[in-house]
Amino acid sequence: MKHEPIASTVEQVPFADLYVSELNPRTIFDPAGIEALAANIRALGLIQNLGGLRDESGKVGIVFGGRRYRALALLQDDPRFATVPVRIAPDQATAETWASSENHQREQPHPADEIREYAFMAARGVAVPAVALAFGVTEAHVYRRLKLAGLPAPVLDALKAGEITLANAAAFTVSEDEAQSLAVLERVRGQGYSDHQIKQMLKSDAVRNTDRRAVFVGQEAYEAEGGRVTTDLFADQSYFEDEALLHELFTAELDAHAGTVLAEGWKWAEPIRDSYVGYYEIEQRKLDRIYAQEGDLSEAEAERYDELAELAHGDVLDDEGEAELAALQAILDGGFTDEQKAVSGVLFYVDQSGTLKTLEGLVTREDRAAAIEAGFLRPDAHAESNTPKSPISNALRDDLGRVAMGARQHAILRDPDLLLDLLAYQLSHSLQWRMPFGLAAEAVPNWPTTEAEGYDLDERLAGKEPREMYGKDLAKSFRAFRQKGQDHTRGELIRCLAALFRGGDEQLSALIDKATAPQIREVWTPTAANFFGRVGGPYLNELWRDLLDLPEDHPTATTFAKLKKAEKAAKLEALFSDDATRKAHGVTEAQAARIDAWLPEGME
């Protein structure tokens, strides 16, 4: 069907006679964008006319071109724009059609196209302010797009095709290896991966600057030894590319500290590679512990201490006074004597935050007698045993048992499938003490004891206990198990081995983590029920301020602090899971990334 063209005229209308019509569909505008458009019009002129309908008073209501109208309002100091060309609609129906068409046909440039266009102009030597002027956007907007201009073309193609988001594309800027970037791109296309997950894939062999080893060693020392650092352009984060060098420096720093501790008079000093050492380590090593001797202040020192402490409480103590107070506090705290150090040592480690922690005054079994003699430890009373000795020594009995077990193991090697079937069978059935393997399939806790909301673990790991086998015929049961086939056996073996996985020592755990890239936040999101409601109010106040980068006296921080604990927990849960809450608080990309990656202290 052929449509007749709409009859309309273009008239020069004084700007004072223009206003925005109620028919104009756009009501929300970015002031910065209007200012950029005004700068564009001032430099290049009004390239596209406005459209309007003349009312009964002779004035013209603008039905399309609302952004241009607002930009022109900022240019009334320029006589060129005192009158404006306006396409006048012949009637109300035409004006309504124009307004609707303008709204629906408007097409914003795709971010991928913007990136390429800005990059093309920058390559021609056009300065960023001129690019912003030409496109009617802010300079900050151009700079953000240009950060993405160096991405491989397939990444921008995937962005244009809607296979990845703009945040996903930004994540690719952490990689300088195009082949790796393209491999990761193929993996994530259309799969809904977060930008955090993509960065983990791209930097699986790198270490974040928040890693305890990186914090402890320091970027300056790492780079001084030739280490390379990559900076994330869209987040306050960087990556240490040479993990082997970082680990070497980390180990050297710990060893150097051991020398410092020994120089202080301790008998021994041992670095621990783990991120936490507690009483379990002391018990496992059968260490005793002695404690520093408390100090005493003289009457005059005590009076001075109280005086300085009061000034410090009032926040009016100068540097000299703080130093004096610290010296008195050191006397009060006391310390280990040279005699104590001579019979004890120190374990030390670097915690998750990169801070060096020490456990002092530890006494080995070899030094226990000397510590008792010196009066630092009390002797234990041991009851004597009168159990008669067996004619076969324990060592011999153990050797005979080993020979018998060796013969059985030698024989079963002839049937590897039987070995695998037996392992899968034992792991998936509760056999108590009747275990065909010397493998205690003890449950490795992987499920919260209270609220599991916000925890999305693979269903194969979620609460599937071994079958109860008490009183059952194991031979008959095992035959039935084998008849289900190798696929079933393999599935049970993989499921059970995953559920029993603990990690091993530091090096082995690091190797496995590097291969599997575990992400706690992939399966767990903190909620009011599973975390926030189980910690104190002051902790929640500090966390709220930290995540939103708020000073303590900021109205948003003080309002939050006045809430009841349950209300605080609910607001933090919303901050972690609700986009509307983040938008309401103006959460930036960097803050969002920190929230999405946040974990409680000590959680690995």
Side-chain angles (χ1 to χ4, degrees):
M1 181 177 179
K2 186 177 180 179
H3 293 277
E4 293 296 328
I6 297 175
S8 61
T9 59
V10 176
E11 301 180 14
Q12 291 290 335
V13 181
F15 184 81
D17 290 344
L18 301 179
Y19 63 93
V20 178
S21 168
E22 294 180 354
L23 298 177
N24 195 297
R26 300 195 68 177
T27 58
I28 299 175
F29 299 90
D30 177 15
I34 297 298
E35 291 176 3
L37 178 57
N40 177 277
I41 295 173
R42 189 187 293 275
L44 305 178
L46 185 64
I47 298 173
Q48 184 179 0
N49 295 334
L50 287 68
L53 176 66
R54 195 176 294 279
D55 62 20
E56 295 178 355
S57 68
K59 294 184 180 296
V60 177
I62 300 302
V63 297
F64 69 78
R67 290 184 75 250
R68 277 162 279 157
Y69 168 81
R70 288 168 172 80
L72 288 165
L74 302 177
L75 301 174
Q76 291 309 297
D77 59 334
D78 190 329
R80 292 179 298 161
F81 306 111
T83 60
V84 180
V86 180
R87 187 179 181 190
I88 304 297
D91 49 47
Q92 176 82 10
T94 299
E96 291 174 355
T97 300
W98 283 357
S100 177
S101 176
E102 174 79 1
N103 186 44
H104 291 289
Q105 295 300 323
R106 181 183 295 110
E107 182 178 354
Q108 296 295 335
H110 192 278
D113 295 330
E114 275 191 300
I115 293 165
R116 286 178 164 135
E117 290 174 359
Y118 296 170
F120 176 72
M121 295 187 71
R124 289 168 47 207
V126 180
V128 167
V131 175
L133 183 64
F135 285 88
V137 296
T138 64
E139 292 182 23
H141 180 80
V142 176
Y143 278 117
R144 286 194 295 270
R145 292 293 190 259
L146 286 177
K147 284 182 179 181
L148 301 169
L151 290 173
V155 176
L156 294 179
D157 292 340
L159 173 61
K160 181 66 181 291
E163 296 171 330
I164 60 173
T165 66
L166 184 60
N168 290 163
F172 280 90
T173 60
V174 304
S175 175
E176 298 175 358
D177 185 336
E178 182 170 344
Q180 182 193 32
S181 294
L182 297 182
V184 171
L185 176 64
E186 291 308 311
R187 182 178 173 185
V188 303
R189 285 180 186 271
Q191 299 301 311
Y193 280 89
S194 70
D195 52 318
H196 177 71
Q197 290 172 313
I198 292 174
K199 289 176 185 178
Q200 289 297 314
M201 296 179 198
L202 292 167
K203 289 297 178 184
S204 59
D205 293 334
V207 175
R208 286 186 292 179
N209 63 334
T210 53
D211 183 277
R212 67 190 183 98
R213 294 170 295 173
V215 175
F216 182 63
V217 171
Q219 182 171 327
E220 184 177 345
Y222 168 77
E223 290 183 314
E225 294 298 323
R228 191 165 63 89
V229 175
T230 299
T231 302
D232 187 343
L233 299 174
F234 289 86
D236 185 17
Q237 189 174 89
S238 57
Y239 296 88
F240 287 45
E241 299 289 350
D242 192 340
E243 183 179 14
L245 173 61
L246 176 61
H247 190 75
E248 179 184 332
L249 295 174
F250 176 74
T251 302
E253 282 286 322
L254 287 179
D255 291 342
H257 185 69
T260 301
V261 173
L262 292 174
E264 294 173 354
W266 294 99
K267 184 173 183 180
W268 57 270
E270 181 182 346
I272 302 296
R273 310 304 179 192
D274 295 335
S275 61
Y276 176 75
V277 177
Y279 289 106
Y280 177 77
E281 183 76 22
I282 296 175
E283 291 176 1
Q284 284 292 98
R285 292 170 176 249
K286 301 187 183 305
L287 300 172
D288 290 295
R289 192 168 190 179
I290 60 180
Y291 296 92
Q293 296 182 0
E294 295 182 2
D296 291 319
L297 297 177
S298 66
E299 185 174 343
E301 288 174 332
E303 290 182 5
R304 180 58 175 163
Y305 178 89
D306 291 340
E307 178 184 340
L308 292 171
E310 185 176 350
L311 292 173
H313 182 71
D315 200 24
V316 292
L317 194 60
D318 58 19
D319 291 342
E320 184 178 347
E322 288 183 358
E324 185 181 357
L325 179 60
L328 292 174
Q329 185 65 56
I331 296 173
L332 195 60
D333 292 339
F336 288 93
T337 65
D338 292 340
E339 292 76 12
Q340 287 178 311
K341 293 179 179 179
V343 295
S344 62
V346 176
L347 292 177
F348 57 92
Y349 63 98
V350 176
D351 68 9
Q352 280 296 100
S353 67
T355 303
L356 186 70
K357 300 288 187 179
T358 60
L359 298 173
E360 300 174 322
L362 303 176
V363 181
T364 64
R365 298 182 69 180
E366 291 78 9
D367 293 321
R368 192 170 189 280
I372 292 174
E373 184 178 354
F376 303 136
L377 289 176
R378 293 182 180 180
D380 291 332
H382 296 284
E384 296 185 0
S385 174
N386 296 317
T387 304
K389 291 184 177 180
S390 169
I392 299 177
S393 69
N394 289 335
L396 176 57
R397 191 185 307 278
D398 183 55
D399 283 343
L400 294 175
R402 293 184 182 192
V403 170
M405 182 56 68
R408 300 181 73 190
Q409 292 173 346
H410 178 84
I412 201 170
L413 271 176
R414 302 186 187 106
D415 194 344
D417 288 340
L418 176 62
L419 273 170
L420 290 175
D421 290 348
L422 271 173
L423 178 58
Y425 177 67
Q426 177 187 319
L427 293 176
S428 58
H429 293 68
S430 180
L431 303 186
Q432 285 88 28
W433 65 92
R434 303 175 294 170
M435 299 180 295
F437 290 93
L439 175 66
E442 298 174 357
V444 177
N446 66 358
W447 201 260
T449 57
T450 54
E451 181 58 54
E453 179 187 348
Y455 190 40
D456 187 20
L457 202 62
D458 189 304
E459 62 180 7
R460 290 175 293 178
L461 296 173
K464 191 171 183 180
E465 298 292 336
R467 299 177 186 175
E468 179 56 54
M469 300 301 292
Y470 181 75
K472 291 189 177 181
D473 183 338
L474 298 191
K476 180 179 178 180
S477 173
F478 180 53
R479 283 196 297 272
F481 178 82
R482 295 196 79 191
Q483 288 173 358
K484 293 181 180 180
Q486 288 301 305
D487 287 344
H488 176 75
T489 297
R490 179 177 174 80
E492 288 292 271
L493 184 58
I494 290 172
R495 177 182 66 80
C496 295
L497 287 176
L500 292 173
F501 175 70
R502 288 184 183 273
D505 67 9
E506 184 179 14
Q507 280 86 5
L508 180 59
S509 293
L511 175 66
I512 295 173
D513 286 349
K514 186 174 181 179
T516 59
Q519 295 296 325
I520 293 176
R521 289 296 303 276
E522 183 179 351
V523 300
W524 181 78
T525 300
T527 66
N530 70 21
F531 181 75
F532 301 124
R534 301 169 68 181
V535 295
Y539 179 96
L540 299 180
N541 295 343
E542 185 176 349
L543 177 60
W544 179 262
R545 295 196 306 269
D546 180 59
L547 293 175
L548 296 179
D549 297 315
L550 301 173
E552 193 168 353
D553 59 352
H554 192 282
T556 301
T558 56
T559 300
F560 181 87
K562 295 176 183 178
L563 297 175
K564 296 179 180 178
K565 180 180 173 180
E567 294 172 330
K568 295 177 182 179
K571 284 186 72 67
L572 274 164
E573 177 177 326
L575 186 65
F576 273 74
S577 59
D578 181 47
D579 289 339
T581 299
R582 294 190 183 188
K583 185 175 181 180
H585 287 285
V587 173
T588 65
E589 290 183 4
Q591 290 170 338
R594 189 160 69 245
I595 293 169
D596 291 339
W598 181 87
L599 288 171
E601 181 181 352
M603 203 174 188
E604 297 183 7

